[in-house]
Amino acid sequence: MEVESSFDKASLSSENVSVLNHESLINKQSEERSDKDEKFQLKMFPNEDEQMEKAAEEILKDSDKGQKWDIVDGEHLRGDCRQSPEDVSDSQPSMHLLLDPCTTEVLPPGPYSPTVPSEEDSVLFNKLMYLGYMKVTAPRSELEALRAMAALKNSSHSPLSVTLYVPNIPDGSVRIIDQSSSKEIASFPIYKVLFCVRGQNGTPECDCFAFTERSSGPEELQIHVFSCEIKEAVSRILYSFSTAFKRSSKQASDPVKDTIFPTPDSDVFIFNVSLEVREDDGKGNFSPVPKDREKLFFKLKQGVEKKVVITVQQMSNKELAIERCFGMLLSPGRNVKNSDMHLLDMECMGKSNDGKAYVITGMWNPNAPTFLVLNEETPKDKRVYMTVAVDMVVTEVTEPVRFLLETLVRVYPANERFWYFSRKTYTETFYMRLKQCEGKSHANAGDAIYEVMSLHRESEEELVSSSSGGDQISPQEDDAEEESDNELSSGTGDVSKDCPEKILYSWGELLGRWHSNLGVRPKGLSSLVKSGIPEALRAEVWQLLAGCHDNQTMLEKYRILITKESPQESVITRDIHRTFPAHDYFKDTGGDGQESLYKICKAYSVYDEEIGYCQGHSFLVAVLLLHMPEEQAFCVLVKIMYDYGLRDLYKNNLEDLRSKFYQLERLMQEQLPDLYGHFLELNLEAHMYASQWFLTLFTAKFPLCMVFHIIDLLLCEGLNVIFNVALALLKTSKEDLLQADFEGALKFFRVQLPKRYRAEENARRLMEQACNVKVPTKKLKKYEREYQMMRENQLQQEDPLDRYKKENRRLQEASMRLEQENDDLAHELVTSKIALRNDLDQAEDKADVLNKELLLTKQKLVETEEEKRKQEEETAQLKEIFRKQLEKAESEIKKTTAIIAEYKQICSQLSSRLEKQQTASKEELEVVKGKVMACKHCSEIFSKEGTLKTPAVPSESRGVETDDEKDALKKQLREMELDLAQTKLQLVEAKCKIQELEHQRGTLMSEIQAAKNSWFSKTLNSIKTATGTQPPPPQQQPPPPPPVPSSPKEGST
C-alpha cells in the first residue's frame, strides 16, 4: 500500500491556524535570507477524520527539498476548486448581489483585460461565491472579521460566482474576476493585503474566508468575504495566501526600495537587468534552462555547452544611450574578486526587437577548467553560487558601468529530466545615481556627461560607490550562520566501532549462553542492550533478537520474491535515490547499495500484498543493509513489520497511527504539562512533528549513531520504545520549544533537533535518558481505550450524510488517483509498445543488413578457399620442382667434387712424374758425363763442367767435326727443352683448371644456400615463370683432363 501523498494538499482549520497576518510574516521573514527559507510549512487540517491520511507523505518530502512544495503552483490540487485558465471564460448564469445598503457595498465591475494570467504568475480558484465587502476599523482583529463575515453571509442571498487569483510572484496582485462576464471586479497588490481569516467550524461561516486590504489609503480598510462550495478548499486558498505573503516579504522589507523613489527629473536611473542561461539541446538549438519553482535557482546540466544572455533595460528617468558591451564575465561563487572573473566569448550584442532593451549574448564552455565547480554534479541538499557581470559603455557616462548578478545554480547529470520547473528569467533591479560633470558635454549632441556616484542592487547593499564611478566594491559577507537552516541529510554521522574489552567480554559470554539455548533470551540482555550493542556484533544480535538467525525458509522465499514483478516498482525506484544520500554506500546511482535496497523493497511489496511498499520503508531497510546481507536484512524487516506490529500503523486508514499520536499527547499532558499547554496554544498537534518518528522509527532524519541505538532498543523492548525516545527528545528540547511559535517549532523539529545529536556523546546521553523515562504499558492501553471510545463517540455524533459525503469524496479522490495512475500506465504501455515496435523494426532492418553481409562473407570465403587450394597446388608443384633442382644441384656438386679430386690426383701424378723425369734426366746426364769423361777422346773435347774444349787440331778437320757434334747436341738439347716446356705448360693449365673448378664449386654452393633460404618467397612472386615453362640452364661440362705429357725420356726416344 502506498501512503497517499496528501500532505501536498496542506489544509487549515480554525482549530489549528485560523489567522494569517501579513505584516507578522514579513517581520519574521525579513530576518532570514529568502533563498534559505526552505519551506513555508504551515500545516493545517480541516477535520479530524482526514488528518492522518495526510501524514505519511511528510516522510520523504523533507528528503526531497526541491519537490516538497511544488503544490504552490497548484500542480497537485484536485477537485473543483481550481481550473485551467481556459475555464475562466465558461459562461455561467448571471447572478446579482443583494446586500444591505447600510452595512455593505459592492465593488463596481472594472475593465478586465482578456489576457488571463499564466499559471506561472497566479494560482486561481473557481466556484467561489463573493459575498461582498465592508469597511472595518480594526483590520487585524479576528473577532471583528468574524462578525463582518457573519453579517455578509446572512445578508447575501444571491452571491456572485467569481474566480480568485492569488499571486505567486512578489509583486503580484490578488484579483477577483466575475465568472459570468470575465470582468475584473477588483485587484489588490499582495503587499496591501493585511490579514486573512476563515470561519469557525460548527458555524454557518465554516465554508467562508475573508481578507482585509488597504488599497485606497491608510485609513480606508475593507474586508472582502467569500464562501466556497468545497469547504476543504478554504485551507488550500489560505495556504496560497501564506505563500504569497512569504514571497513578498523580502521585497516589502528591502531598504533600497524603501529609500529610493526616483522621479523623472532626479539623478537616479533604474535599470532592470535579467539573466537567462541557455543550453544546447542536441538539435542545433539553445533552449533556456529551467529554474526551480520554489527556490528559483537555475538547473544546469553537466558538460553541455551554454549561452549566457543578459538583457539591460532602463526603466526610469532620461534615456541613456548604451553604445556597446565590451566584456561579459562569469565566475563560480559569490563576492568574487575582479581578478577571479573569467571573460566569455561574445556572440552578439545589440538592441532588442522592440528597441527598449539592450541584449548581450556570450558563449560559455563549462568544460573549461576554470568553471569546474559549475560543471560538477551538485549534491542533492546543496547549491552553488554563480556570478555574472557585464561592463556597459554608456554614451553619457564617463566610465564603464558594471552590472553584476549573483544567482544560485545546481548542476545535474547530462541525462537528467525535469518535470516541475519554471522558465522565468532571473531579474535584478539596479539603482544608479549619476552626477553631472561640470563643463563637460557630448561633442555631437550637447548632452550632459555624468559620472557614477553609486550603484545599488535591489537585493543587496551598495555594490559600487566611487566618485569616478569605475571601482567595484564586493558586498559584505553573509552571516556565518547562513547554512544553519539546512536540514540534516539522512544517513549522516559516523558510528564508532571501538568498544571496551570488558563490554566485549560480557557480550561474548552472553552470546555463548544464548547460542546454547536459542529459545530463551539470556539474563542480563536488556541491561546490555540499553547501553548499546557493539557495532561489530549488531548484525548477529539483531537477528537473534528478531528470531530470524536461521530462517532458511524465509531466505529461500526471498530469492523467489526478487524474481517477481511488483506493481509499485516505479514508486520504489523514485524513492531509492532519496534514501541515505549522505552515506557512501547508497549515494551512487545504480551502485550496490541502491541495488540491494531496491531488491528488498520490491520483494516486501510482493510479500505483503495488503500493505505493499510504503514510503519510509526504504530508510529502515537501509539501516539493516548497513549491518547484514540483503537476505538477512529482508528477514529482519519482515519480523519488524509483522511481529513488532509496525505494519499495523499503515492499516485501517492509519487508525493505529492516530492512536499512537493520542497516546503521545496524553503522556505529554502527564509528564510535560507546560509543553503540552504551549502546543495547544499553538494548535501544534503530534502528527505534525511525530509522523516520521513512528513510521520510520527515527531513521529518516536523525544521525546513524542514534538510529542504530534506537533499533537496538526496539528489537529488544518492542515498538513502545518510540514513546520513550519521543518523550526524551521533548524533555531535552523543552526550553527551546516553549519559546518558539508555530513556525519556529516546526522548523526546530525539522532542522535543529536532529543536528543536536550528530555527536555520538549527545546521542548516548539522550538514549540514557530515554531508557530512564517511564512509560507504563497499562497507561498506554488505557489511553488506547480512551481513543477508541472517543472515536466511537465522534462517529455516533457525526451526521451520516456528512460521513457518507466524506467517504464519497475520499473514494472520488482515490478513483481520480487510480484513473490518473491508469492513464499513466496506459500511456507508458503505449509508449513502450511504440518503442518496442521501433526497436523491432530497427532490429529487423539490422538483421537484413547482417544477412546480406553474411552472404557476401560466405561468397568471399568460398572464393578465398578456392584461391587457397590453387595456391597450395602451385606450392606443391614448386616444392617438387625445387626438390628436383636441388637433387640435380647436389648431383652436379658430387660430380664436380669428383672431377676436382681427379684433377688434383692427375696434377699430383704429373708433378711426381716431372720430378722423376728431372731426376732421371740428371742421372742420365751424370752418366753421360761420366762416360764422356771416361773416354779419352771425349775428355779431351769436354771439360769437367761439360763445356766443349777446343782441341789443337787443324782448323779444317776440327771445324767439320765440331760442327757435326754441335748440331747433334743442340738438336738433342732443343728436344729436351721442348719436352720440359710442354710439361710446364700442362702443369700450368692443370692448376688453372683446378682454380676454375674451385670457383665454380663455390658459386654453386652459394646458389644452393640462397635457394634454400629464399626459394619459396621468390617463387610466389613469379609463380607462372617458375612452373617449368623455361628450360633449365645447360649444365656446364667439366673440361676434359689434360693429356698426360710424355717424359723427356720418351720424347727423346
Side-chain angles (χ1 to χ4, degrees):
M1 179 190 78
E2 181 183 355
V3 179
E4 292 287 331
S5 60
S6 50
F7 263 179
D8 284 345
K9 300 176 287 183
S11 50
L12 298 137
S13 71
S14 61
E15 300 161 351
N16 295 327
V17 175
S18 59
V19 177
L20 293 178
N21 191 323
H22 188 184
E23 292 189 359
S24 62
L25 280 170
I26 292 176
N27 293 333
K28 280 186 282 184
Q29 299 296 335
S30 63
E31 297 173 0
E32 301 177 357
R33 295 184 57 82
S34 63
D35 52 40
K36 294 297 179 185
D37 289 336
E38 293 292 342
K39 305 164 192 71
F40 194 84
Q41 292 204 357
L42 199 57
K43 296 189 175 108
M44 307 160 221
F45 298 84
N47 56 69
E48 190 66 26
D49 291 334
E50 296 182 357
Q51 287 175 0
M52 291 323 303
E53 293 180 9
K54 306 173 182 294
E57 184 66 11
E58 183 182 306
I59 297 165
L60 287 177
K61 291 297 179 184
D62 289 342
S63 300
D64 195 2
K65 298 179 181 179
Q67 298 178 0
K68 180 167 183 179
W69 291 112
D70 284 346
I71 51 89
V72 172
D73 292 327
E75 287 295 326
H76 301 298
L77 186 62
R78 294 175 184 155
D80 294 327
C81 63
R82 184 172 181 268
Q83 299 178 357
S84 63
E86 290 80 359
D87 295 334
V88 177
S89 61
D90 292 346
S91 61
Q92 301 209 7
S94 177
M95 296 185 180
H96 301 281
L97 192 62
L98 301 177
L99 303 173
D100 186 355
C102 299
T103 59
T104 64
E105 301 177 29
V106 177
L107 293 172
Y112 174 58
S113 172
T115 303
V116 180
S118 66
E119 203 170 286
E120 292 286 349
D121 297 334
S122 299
V123 182
L124 55 149
F125 300 92
N126 288 325
K127 295 197 174 180
L128 301 180
M129 298 299 173
Y130 181 49
L131 306 182
Y133 77 100
M134 61 187 300
K135 295 182 179 180
V136 291
T137 57
R140 295 178 180 84
S141 171
E142 182 179 3
L143 185 61
E144 184 172 353
L146 292 175
R147 283 200 297 264
M149 192 183 301
L152 290 174
K153 176 76 171 179
N154 295 331
S155 61
S156 177
H157 303 290
S158 298
L160 187 64
S161 180
V162 298
T163 297
L164 180 67
Y165 285 79
V166 180
N168 56 16
I169 56 176
D171 54 352
S173 298
V174 179
R175 306 168 66 207
I176 307 172
I177 308 300
D178 185 359
Q179 286 190 356
S180 61
S181 60
S182 298
K183 297 292 185 180
E184 183 179 280
I185 298 176
S187 176
F188 316 104
I190 185 63
Y191 62 85
K192 291 189 177 182
V193 177
L194 305 177
F195 185 74
C196 293
V197 66
R198 67 169 297 169
Q200 296 181 347
N201 281 347
T203 64
E205 298 81 34
C206 62
D207 60 345
C208 296
F209 69 95
F211 62 85
T212 58
E213 52 85 17
R214 181 186 56 211
S215 60
S216 301
E219 297 181 357
E220 294 187 15
L221 305 173
Q222 298 173 343
I223 184 170
H224 300 263
V225 182
F226 303 81
S227 66
C228 186
E229 293 183 9
I230 302 175
K231 186 175 69 173
E232 288 74 14
V234 176
S235 304
R236 180 64 182 88
I237 296 171
L238 291 186
Y239 176 76
S240 297
F241 271 104
S242 70
T243 306
F245 291 165
K246 169 191 162 188
R247 287 176 171 169
S248 65
S249 62
K250 184 184 176 197
Q251 188 178 35
S253 60
D254 196 324
V256 176
K257 233 179 174 183
D258 294 339
T259 57
I260 298 180
F261 298 98
T263 62
D265 298 328
S266 72
D267 56 355
V268 176
F269 295 77
I270 301 179
F271 291 86
N272 275 351
V273 182
S274 61
L275 169 65
E276 184 180 43
V277 182
R278 299 176 181 176
E279 285 183 335
D280 188 358
D281 57 6
K283 302 177 182 178
N285 301 319
F286 283 82
S287 303
V289 301
K291 296 182 67 180
D292 183 79
R293 302 180 76 170
E294 183 69 19
K295 308 294 176 50
L296 300 178
F297 56 81
F298 287 98
K299 297 183 175 182
L300 307 180
K301 290 185 179 180
Q302 193 175 9
V304 180
E305 189 176 6
K306 300 173 177 63
K307 289 184 180 180
V308 180
V309 182
I310 291 184
T311 304
V312 181
Q313 183 175 4
Q314 185 177 345
M315 305 302 295
S316 70
N317 217 320
K318 182 182 66 175
E319 184 177 359
L320 301 176
I322 297 177
E323 289 185 7
R324 60 187 175 88
C325 169
F326 70 88
M328 178 185 289
L329 303 107
L330 187 142
S331 175
R334 64 186 308 191
N335 303 335
V336 181
K337 297 179 180 178
N338 190 37
S339 59
D340 295 334
M341 300 287 286
H342 306 286
L343 191 65
L344 298 183
D345 294 334
M346 302 292 293
E347 184 185 58
C348 62
M349 66 181 77
K351 288 193 174 183
S352 59
N353 294 332
D354 56 5
K356 296 180 179 180
Y358 197 86
V359 183
I360 310 103
T361 304
M363 297 299 296
W364 173 18
N365 179 17
N367 297 314
T370 53
F371 303 122
L372 181 62
V373 177
L374 299 175
N375 199 36
E376 291 180 339
E377 184 176 352
T378 310
K380 189 179 67 172
D381 56 343
K382 300 291 183 182
R383 285 170 293 279
V384 296
Y385 272 95
M386 179 180 73
T387 301
V388 183
V390 287
D391 293 325
M392 308 302 297
V393 177
V394 183
T395 303
E396 296 86 352
V397 180
T398 57
E399 296 290 338
V401 178
R402 171 168 289 187
F403 295 105
L404 187 139
L405 305 172
E406 293 176 345
T407 181
L408 284 168
V409 301
R410 182 175 171 188
V411 185
Y412 293 82
N415 57 355
E416 185 77 14
R417 298 181 66 186
F418 306 109
W419 299 103
Y420 303 105
F421 55 82
S422 167
R423 292 197 183 275
K424 292 189 296 183
T425 56
Y426 173 76
T427 303
E428 280 279 11
T429 302
F430 288 83
Y431 299 88
M432 184 169 63
R433 188 180 298 276
L434 301 179
K435 176 183 177 181
Q436 186 173 353
C437 298
E438 297 181 1
K440 294 184 179 180
S441 61
H442 197 276
N444 296 330
D447 295 334
I449 298 298
Y450 299 92
E451 62 180 2
V452 179
M453 300 301 298
S454 64
L455 179 62
H456 294 269
R457 194 169 62 195
E458 187 179 51
S459 60
E460 295 290 340
E461 296 181 357
E462 184 179 274
L463 290 178
V464 178
S465 181
S466 155
S467 60
S468 60
D471 298 331
Q472 293 286 329
I473 297 179
S474 300
Q476 295 181 354
E477 303 231 352
D478 286 333
D479 225 62
E481 298 292 329
E482 184 182 5
E483 297 296 328
S484 62
D485 289 344
N486 289 343
E487 297 181 21
L488 192 67
S489 299
S490 61
T492 301
D494 297 326
V495 181
S496 175
K497 296 185 179 180
D498 298 334
C499 185
E501 292 185 3
K502 185 177 180 180
I503 295 178
L504 285 176
Y505 176 78
S506 301
W507 273 103
E509 185 182 3
L510 183 140
L511 289 174
R513 289 187 282 116
W514 200 350
H515 281 292
S516 62
N517 186 8
L518 294 172
V520 180
R521 290 185 176 182
K523 293 182 179 180
L525 175 65
S526 179
S527 60
L528 284 177
V529 171
K530 287 180 180 179
S531 300
I533 303 172
E535 179 66 15
L537 300 176
R538 275 200 168 104
E540 179 182 2
V541 177
W542 282 3
Q543 294 182 59
L544 289 171
L545 288 171
C548 59
H549 55 280
D550 191 20
N551 195 342
Q552 294 297 328
T553 304
M554 187 61 69
L555 293 177
E556 293 297 329
K557 195 161 190 177
Y558 172 74
R559 296 185 181 99
I560 297 173
L561 290 171
I562 59 176
T563 62
K564 296 184 178 180
E565 299 292 332
S566 170
Q568 296 172 305
E569 290 183 11
S570 60
V571 181
I572 297 171
T573 304
R574 182 191 64 197
D575 291 343
I576 291 302
H577 76 280
R578 296 190 276 184
T579 304
F580 283 11
H583 200 283
D584 292 339
Y585 186 56
F586 298 102
K587 68 180 182 180
D588 294 333
T589 302
D592 294 339
Q594 291 195 7
E595 184 67 22
S596 299
L597 197 61
Y598 171 78
K599 287 181 180 178
I600 296 178
C601 294
K602 173 187 171 184
Y604 185 81
S605 67
V606 178
Y607 178 79
D608 189 355
E609 296 182 355
E610 180 183 3
I611 301 299
Y613 170 76
C614 299
Q615 291 175 333
H617 283 176
S618 57
F619 294 101
L620 179 58
V621 174
V623 171
L624 299 176
L625 276 175
L626 291 176
H627 294 88
M628 61 193 74
E630 58 185 70
E631 294 85 354
Q632 284 83 357
F634 176 76
C635 296
V636 177
L637 174 67
V638 172
K639 286 289 183 179
I640 293 175
M641 295 296 292
Y642 280 85
D643 295 356
Y644 288 82
L646 183 60
R647 71 187 297 272
D648 295 336
L649 301 181
Y650 297 91
K651 295 169 60 178
N652 301 324
N653 199 20
L654 305 177
E655 191 65 30
D656 285 350
L657 183 60
R658 295 191 187 98
S659 176
K660 299 291 183 187
F661 291 149
Y662 179 80
Q663 291 172 321
L664 179 59
E665 289 179 339
R666 294 286 282 115
L667 289 171
M668 285 181 59
Q669 185 179 6
E670 179 183 347
Q671 300 186 21
L672 298 167
D674 48 354
L675 185 61
Y676 174 77
H678 181 64
F679 280 4
L680 283 182
E681 293 177 1
L682 297 179
N683 292 322
L684 185 65
E685 300 179 2
H687 63 79
M688 299 179 183
Y689 57 85
S691 299
Q692 291 186 7
W693 298 356
F694 285 94
L695 293 176
T696 69
L697 307 180
F698 298 93
T699 59
K701 284 295 178 186
F702 288 89
L704 292 180
C705 55
M706 176 178 167
V707 169
F708 293 166
H709 202 159
I710 293 173
I711 301 300
D712 296 342
L713 293 173
L714 181 136
L715 291 172
C716 183
E717 305 294 339
L719 203 61
N720 289 340
V721 168
I722 300 177
F723 294 109
N724 297 69
V725 180
L727 290 173
L729 287 170
L730 293 170
K731 286 181 178 180
T732 56
S733 309
K734 175 181 174 182
E735 298 301 327
D736 296 298
L737 291 171
L738 286 175
Q739 297 176 6
D741 57 4
F742 180 83
E743 285 298 319
L746 289 179
K747 181 179 178 182
F748 179 83
F749 281 118
R750 189 180 72 253
V751 180
Q752 280 85 14
L753 184 61
K755 289 183 178 180
R756 285 191 172 184
Y757 305 102
R758 286 181 291 187
E760 198 164 355
E761 181 62 24
N762 295 342
R764 185 187 62 78
R765 291 176 183 173
L766 174 72
M767 297 312 298
E768 287 180 357
Q769 186 172 355
C771 293
N772 295 328
V773 173
K774 294 182 179 180
V775 183
T777 307
K778 291 183 179 180
K779 283 190 176 181
L780 290 177
K781 292 182 178 179
K782 174 186 174 183
Y783 296 154
E784 185 178 359
R785 289 193 297 269
E786 288 180 3
Y787 176 77
Q788 291 174 354
M789 293 176 60
M790 182 180 67
R791 290 294 296 165
E792 290 176 0
N793 293 334
Q794 287 180 355
L795 292 175
Q796 290 176 1
Q797 294 175 2
E798 187 178 6
D799 187 1
L801 183 60
D802 293 339
R803 185 169 67 252
Y804 292 144
K805 285 181 178 180
K806 293 177 182 177
E807 182 67 18
N808 183 45
R809 190 181 307 110
R810 188 180 64 81
L811 293 175
Q812 285 180 350
E813 291 179 356
S815 175
M816 291 174 62
R817 178 178 57 81
L818 293 174
E819 287 178 359
Q820 182 63 36
E821 291 178 359
N822 183 46
D823 293 342
D824 294 341
L825 291 173
H827 177 70
E828 184 178 354
L829 179 62
V830 171
T831 305
S832 61
K833 283 186 175 180
I834 294 173
L836 288 174
R837 181 71 257 178
N838 293 334
D839 293 342
L840 182 60
D841 293 340
Q842 293 177 2
E844 290 177 350
D845 295 340
K846 191 173 182 180
D848 293 339
V849 174
L850 291 175
N851 286 331
K852 293 179 181 179
E853 292 180 355
L854 180 61
L855 292 175
L856 293 174
T857 306
K858 286 182 177 180
Q859 186 176 357
K860 290 181 179 179
L861 179 61
V862 171
E863 294 175 355
T864 305
E865 288 179 348
E866 181 65 23
E867 185 177 356
K868 179 183 177 183
R869 186 184 59 79
K870 292 180 179 180
Q871 290 180 354
E872 286 177 349
E873 291 178 356
E874 293 176 356
T875 304
Q877 293 176 1
L878 289 173
K879 284 183 178 180
E880 184 64 24
I881 293 169
F882 278 103
R883 187 183 62 78
K884 292 179 180 179
Q885 291 181 351
L886 186 59
E887 289 176 354
K888 287 181 180 181
E890 288 177 351
S891 63
E892 290 176 358
I893 290 171
K894 289 179 181 179
K895 290 179 181 180
T896 306
T897 306
I899 292 170
I900 292 171
E902 290 176 358
Y903 273 107
K904 286 184 177 180
Q905 187 178 2
I906 292 170
C907 290
S908 62
Q909 289 176 358
L910 291 173
S911 297
S912 61
R913 285 178 65 181
L914 180 60
E915 291 175 358
K916 288 179 182 179
Q917 287 178 1
Q918 288 178 351
T919 305
S921 299
K922 286 181 180 181
E923 290 175 355
E924 289 178 359
L925 184 60
E926 290 296 330
V927 172
V928 171
K929 283 181 178 182
K931 288 181 179 182
V932 170
M933 295 305 294
C935 180
K936 291 181 179 181
H937 178 72
C938 292
S939 62
E940 296 176 355
I941 300 173
F942 295 96
S943 65
K944 290 182 180 181
E945 291 81 7
T947 59
L948 188 64
K949 293 181 178 181
T950 306
V953 291
S955 58
E956 293 179 1
S957 61
R958 194 172 49 225
V960 173
E961 291 176 0
T962 301
D963 292 337
D964 293 338
E965 288 178 3
K966 283 183 179 181
D967 292 338
L969 289 172
K970 287 181 180 180
K971 183 178 181 182
Q972 186 179 1
L973 184 60
R974 279 196 301 272
E975 289 176 357
M976 292 178 68
E977 289 176 352
L978 180 62
D979 290 340
L980 181 60
Q982 289 180 353
T983 302
K984 288 183 177 180
L985 180 61
Q986 290 177 359
L987 181 59
V988 172
E989 290 178 353
K991 288 182 178 180
C992 292
K993 199 66 176 180
I994 290 170
Q995 290 179 358
E996 184 178 355
L997 291 174
E998 287 286 348
H999 178 70
Q1000 290 180 357
R1001 179 176 174 272
T1003 304
L1004 289 173
M1005 291 297 290
S1006 300
E1007 292 178 354
I1008 290 169
Q1009 187 64 30
K1012 286 181 179 179
N1013 294 333
S1014 60
W1015 64 270
F1016 185 72
S1017 60
K1018 291 180 179 180
T1019 51
L1020 291 178
N1021 297 330
S1022 57
I1023 294 175
K1024 295 183 179 181
T1025 307
T1027 53
T1029 56
Q1030 295 179 352
Q1035 298 184 359
Q1036 211 170 11
Q1037 297 296 333
V1044 180
S1046 60
S1047 63
K1049 194 176 199 179
E1050 293 173 352
S1052 61
T1053 57

